[in-house]
Amino acid sequence: MSNTITPKISLRSVEKSFGDRTVLNGVDLDVSSSEVIAFIGSSGSGKSTLLRCVNLLESIDDGAILLDGVDISLPGLDPDPIRRRIGMVFQNFNLFPHMNVLRNITLAPRKVLGLSASESEERGRDLLRRLGLQDRAEAYPDQLSGGQQQRVAIARSLAMEPEVMLLDEITSALDPELVGEVLDVVRELKGNGMTMLLATHEMAFAREIADRVCFLHQGQVLECAPPNELFVSPKNERTQQFLQRVIDSGRL
Amino acid sequence: MNETVPGSSNRPGTVASSRLARRRFERRQKRRSTLIALTSTLVVIGLLVTLIPQTPGWYKVKRSFFNGEVFSETFPRLVDAFVKDVQIFLWCAPCILVWGMMLALCRSVRTPALFPLRLFAAAYTDIFRGVPVILTILLIGFGVPGLGMDRPWNSPYLWGSVALVLTYSSYVAEVFRAGIESVHESQRAGARSLGLSSGQTLRFVVIPQAVRRVVPPLMNDLVSLQKDVALVSLIGPIEILRQAGIDKSKFANFTPYLGAAIIFLAITIPETRFVDHLMARERRRTSGTAIR
Ligand SMILES: Nc1ncnc2c1ncn2[C@@H]1O[C@H](COP(=O)(O)OP(=O)(O)OP(=O)(O)O)[C@@H](O)[C@H]1O
Ligand SMILES: [Mg+2]
């Protein structure tokens, strides 16, 4: 990695435990602007926790997280202005069920960015059009398919015009035939140069979209390499075992 | 395909006829359940009407509880007195809802610095939930005016209402708190990840969902408030219960109590039905297919 350009996001020996269970055990990683990183690893390896730490939804115990070279993990820092710059999409969408699609999308731009009702609505409708949901603006989340809900969740996040997107297994709760429509959106984001960190079980997709794939095991990044290296000739023994299991279960 | 449609007698295979058959089936189903409900109700009422008058004490009960003359004489006065109950209810209810919500929020704060607030709210709800309303009304209604303050401040209406607000806000606070806690953590995560502050998250995401969920138990509390307003009569005001008591003594007849009961029902039943209706409408608006 170049030393002269500040990485968009840096993780410096990040540690996090819940009680006496260590979940992140010294994670180091530099992510440059417009880079797409896919985290893979078995269930419980700490992928979600890592993404939640970057979004300051969890506080870290040790180490540092830098955004554009600025430490955002300092205790006592107001997390709200930072979260504005980092969007997050969750496995279970987390849409607000009492608001219709458009309100879901325009809430934060209005209350946080101070946009007027018409400005935020225009932004919301633009996004919905981009994601192919223009005719569902007035629907409520419970009236949408899973794939549609996840696309709304992505739109809601994009409405804040974040610099980085964190995607936590955004297709795991979806039926196979709905996965494609959500992945299309991620492809488009990559095309627009969005910096993304994503946790995924979709190996084929990780392989296609990621600039680097990072294998997480027991709270550590054991190997981080371009997909063609990591999937074809993994160096670490654990990575080999994990990929072998994935291949055996027919998921690659 | 048509075989799966119950009661279908049409040519198989045409979509239109299948739809028609389905509708006809649903209509018949509905008619049948209405019929069953109607017949069973009629049978029960018929039994009551024929059996009760055969009991030995029926004649006396009829004279002292179902006296038409006393009823028509006292009923208008009772309605007049009931206006007081409604008034007390109308100014107590908003205070209870606001104060109850504030208590619930105090109990739900997570900042360690605000711990004393949480402690206060917990102690408050424990105390007022644990004491019978009637005791609170008597203690406050007789105790505070005993301080000898001047006119508006010694009114039994005022202190009776204060007692009701104190007690009922503790009930309502618990209801609101349960609602707030029932909103899943992931909703907060969703809101906070967008940069909303914790206050904004509470206001726009958590509380609206919490309130929708607790409307039925809240309605319960409001209906019992409407009834408990009558207890204020114990410290003086002549509202419907007291008026009925006065008339009972005057005519040596219990019919005024029946009249009072009818008046209470005339307001509490529509209240409940109205909220049911609002809830059903909200559910239809925001949810997918209703599951039968
Ligand atoms: N709030 C919490 N309290 C206690 N333990 C937690 C908490 N959140 C996560 N953990 C634990 O941390 C470990 C890592 O969890 P995490 O959700 O990050 O795994 P993951 O890699 O995302 O797994 P999956 O692929 O199943 O989503 C797990 O052992 C989990 O039980
Ligand atoms: Mg996870």
Side-chain angles (χ1 to χ4, degrees), chain B residues 29-47:
Chain B
Q29 197 83 333
K30 210 160 157 188
R31 211 163 23 198
R32 209 171 65 185
S33 39
T34 322
L35 202 69
I36 292 173
L38 211 65
T39 343
S40 54
T41 316
L42 284 177
V43 167
V44 170
I45 291 181
L47 280 176

Side-chain angles (χ1 to χ4, degrees), chain A residues 132-153:
Chain A
L133 288 164
Q134 58 275 24
D135 51 344
R136 305 313 313 263
E138 322 297 333
Y140 283 82
D142 283 348
Q143 298 163 339
L144 300 179
S145 76
Q148 291 171 331
Q149 289 188 52
Q150 193 56 292
R151 281 185 285 156
V152 172

Side-chain angles (χ1 to χ4, degrees), chain A residues 52 55 57 79-80 83-84 86-88 90 94-99 103-104 107-108 111-112 140-143 156-157 160, chain B residues 185-198 200 203-206 208-209 212-213 282 284-289:
Chain A
R52 290 171 65 89
N55 203 19
L57 289 172
D80 296 332
R83 294 206 186 105
R84 244 167 263 176
I86 306 179
M88 178 144 184
F90 303 85
N94 298 5
L95 292 175
F96 309 132
H98 60 298
M99 297 179 185
R103 275 271 289 156
N104 261 280
L107 178 72
K111 304 300 173 190
V112 179
Y140 283 82
D142 283 348
Q143 298 163 339
R156 182 176 73 170
S157 216
M160 294 296 287
Chain B
E185 206 56 37
S186 62
Q187 286 286 310
R188 290 174 197 259
R192 296 307 300 275
S193 77
L194 292 167
L196 291 163
S197 68
S198 60
Q200 288 173 321
R203 177 155 160 227
F204 300 115
V205 176
V206 177
Q209 294 185 57
R212 278 177 178 77
R213 277 180 213 179
E282 169 73 10
R284 267 198 308 275
R285 197 168 62 96
T286 62
S287 73
T289 320

Side-chain angles (χ1 to χ4, degrees), chain A residues 18 21 23 41-49 58 91 169 201:
Chain A
F18 293 107
R21 173 190 279 137
V23 178
S42 49
S43 186
S45 56
K47 303 183 293 292
S48 301
T49 308
E58 306 279 0
Q91 181 172 354
E169 291 186 30
H201 286 296

Side-chain angles (χ1 to χ4, degrees), chain A residues 8 31-36 163-165 193-197:
Chain A
K8 190 74 199 166
V31 184
S32 45
S33 204
S34 296
E35 198 178 13
V36 177
E163 301 159 30
V164 178
M165 286 286 273
M194 176 69 78
T195 312
M196 287 188 276
L197 306 188

